[in-house]
Amino acid sequence: MSTKLNLNLTKKLAVALAATALTAGLAGVTAPATAAPAGPAAECGVRSDGKLYCGNRAGAKGYEHRSYASAVRGRMNTTFSWFQCWGRGDSHPGGNNIWYWTKLDNGQWGNMPAVDVHTSVDPAPGLREC
């Protein structure tokens, strides 16, 4: 076998092995994990830590008290959050008077009306009242 032919086969074999290794390596790569998709199809339930993890409206306001008339403590800009507990307050456009207590994206604690939380029923089953 000539040296030129031997080098050609060696190059082809190296390219084939590199392509196989690259394909195998990419097969194990996945997209970065996210908290959960937003919207009704997202997870919405109480986990073992006792908190409700659920989708919510981006930009929803958190209030000092369970009332739109109270001071705004901040906003929830993320669309998937956790909620510590629930309580009754002023009625809101969601058709009930349930509000959820949570840590807002600015680090402040506040009450969010249930209309801004993507629960299927309020209060969320299994979440404690506060």
Side-chain angles (χ1 to χ4, degrees):
M1 197 180 267
S2 76
T3 306
K4 187 175 181 179
L5 180 61
N6 196 14
L7 286 176
N8 242 355
L9 287 174
T10 303
K11 283 182 186 178
K12 285 181 182 180
L13 181 59
V15 168
L17 287 173
T20 302
L22 180 60
T23 303
L26 289 177
V29 174
T30 58
T34 57
E43 169 193 359
C44 190
V46 176
R47 293 185 187 172
S48 61
D49 62 3
K51 296 175 185 173
L52 169 67
Y53 291 81
C54 197
N56 58 268
R57 186 177 63 79
K61 293 178 183 175
Y63 297 86
E64 182 178 4
H65 302 290
R66 297 174 192 144
S67 169
Y68 288 115
S70 67
V72 174
R73 290 207 165 158
R75 292 184 180 269
M76 192 66 79
N77 297 312
T78 54
T79 57
F80 187 80
S81 306
W82 58 266
F83 302 87
Q84 189 73 40
C85 56
W86 67 273
R88 296 189 187 281
D90 289 352
S91 293
H92 52 73
N96 62 48
N97 65 352
I98 304 301
W99 292 65
Y100 292 97
W101 182 245
T102 189
K103 197 169 202 177
L104 304 164
D105 287 343
N106 66 358
Q108 297 291 314
W109 286 88
N111 293 283
M112 282 179 54
V115 69
D116 292 332
V117 182
H118 301 311
T119 49
S120 59
V121 62
D122 297 303
L127 185 64
R128 71 179 181 86
E129 185 175 359
C130 53

